[in-house]
Amino acid sequence: MSLHDNIESILVSEKEIAEIAERLGKQITEDYKGVERPILLGLLKGCVPFMSDLQKHIDLPIEIEYMDVSSYHGSITSSGDVKIRKDMNTSVSGRDILIAEDIVDTGKTLDTIVKLLTHRGAKSVEVVTLLDKPAGRVIPFTPKYIGVTIPKAFVVGYGLDYDELYRNIPYVGILKPEIYKK
Ligand code: 5GP
């Protein structure tokens, strides 16, 4: 029995993800040239595999920070109640922040975090996401950098979990519905 047996289909392959990280990293390098010490802020835990690929392609002096925010709590629909479990270790006042996220679905998580960082005095706040699921939007939100737009399906892998599993799968796939209907 392998984790892969629970995946219905592969949506974004490992090779495609590598290409996305390179393309977005180069774009970010261009766009942030001349910006003093931008902060790449990862939202744990889902950001980790993609952010680690992406940051290698950003050829600039950036600082790396993390926040642990949650909204799912072991189900497949967002509760919309965004909790901060771990905050950043530095002040964002006057700083340029680029948030790295695995997926934008309802938009509630990023809407909350962008407003919070703006309220704390960040100079700019932008978002880079591996996946965008615009059909899931409840709050209008457009990330500046999007890896790939996906249909409204529940996906796992490459940082994305179901009940804390599947984050280590090296591609993004659609989970077999019988797994979460059990
Ligand atoms: P939003 O606040 O935009 O609804 O959701 C953002 C968070 O919800 C993501 O960081 C991710 O943790 C979770 N999420 C949204 N869609 C999916 C999905 O299809 N699969 C998984 N595993 N998590 C998702």
Side-chain angles (χ1 to χ4, degrees):
M1 167 66 204
S2 147
L3 271 185
H4 302 277
D5 297 335
N6 294 340
I7 304 299
E8 196 168 78
S9 59
I10 297 179
L11 207 56
V12 195
S13 70
E14 202 172 356
K15 185 169 171 283
E16 285 170 307
I17 296 171
E19 286 165 3
I20 288 168
E22 185 173 351
R23 170 173 60 84
L24 294 181
K26 284 182 174 162
Q27 184 65 54
I28 290 162
T29 303
E30 278 306 304
D31 294 353
Y32 280 79
K33 249 180 207 147
V35 175
E36 201 184 336
R37 299 176 74 119
I39 297 176
L40 184 64
L41 169 63
L43 301 189
L44 295 169
K45 303 172 193 167
C47 73
V48 171
F50 175 59
M51 183 166 151
S52 100
D53 293 344
L54 178 74
Q55 66 195 31
K56 291 176 212 164
H57 294 287
I58 303 178
D59 186 12
L60 294 170
I62 52 167
E63 289 184 35
I64 306 284
E65 283 285 336
Y66 295 99
M67 273 175 96
D68 187 359
V69 300
S70 74
S71 69
Y72 261 44
H73 316 297
S75 78
I76 63 153
T77 48
S78 175
S79 67
D81 176 19
V82 181
K83 291 194 172 57
I84 297 176
R85 291 179 176 146
K86 181 209 170 287
D87 211 332
M88 298 171 66
N89 291 326
T90 192
S91 163
V92 299
S93 181
R95 306 295 300 272
D96 295 278
I97 317 289
L98 178 59
I99 301 173
E101 179 60 307
D102 50 4
I103 188 167
V104 184
D105 181 17
T106 64
K108 287 179 182 172
T109 305
L110 283 165
D111 182 68
T112 305
I113 301 302
V114 169
K115 280 184 180 146
L116 175 73
L117 298 179
T118 306
H119 175 76
R120 287 178 178 176
K123 189 168 156 197
S124 71
V125 186
E126 300 290 357
V127 170
V128 51
T129 184
L130 171 61
L131 308 171
D132 188 19
K133 198 163 45 168
R137 251 359 154 268
V138 172
I139 292 180
F141 189 89
T142 310
K144 179 158 186 190
Y145 305 97
I146 296 168
V148 60
T149 301
I150 63 162
K152 196 170 166 52
F154 185 73
V155 294
V156 294
Y158 227 81
L160 290 136
D161 75 308
Y162 171 62
D163 200 16
E164 291 303 327
L165 299 179
Y166 303 96
R167 292 192 198 275
N168 54 321
I169 286 186
Y171 53 80
V172 174
I174 298 180
L175 193 61
K176 286 184 178 165
E178 60 258 39
I179 305 301
Y180 50 81
K181 283 184 183 144
K182 260 184 213 160

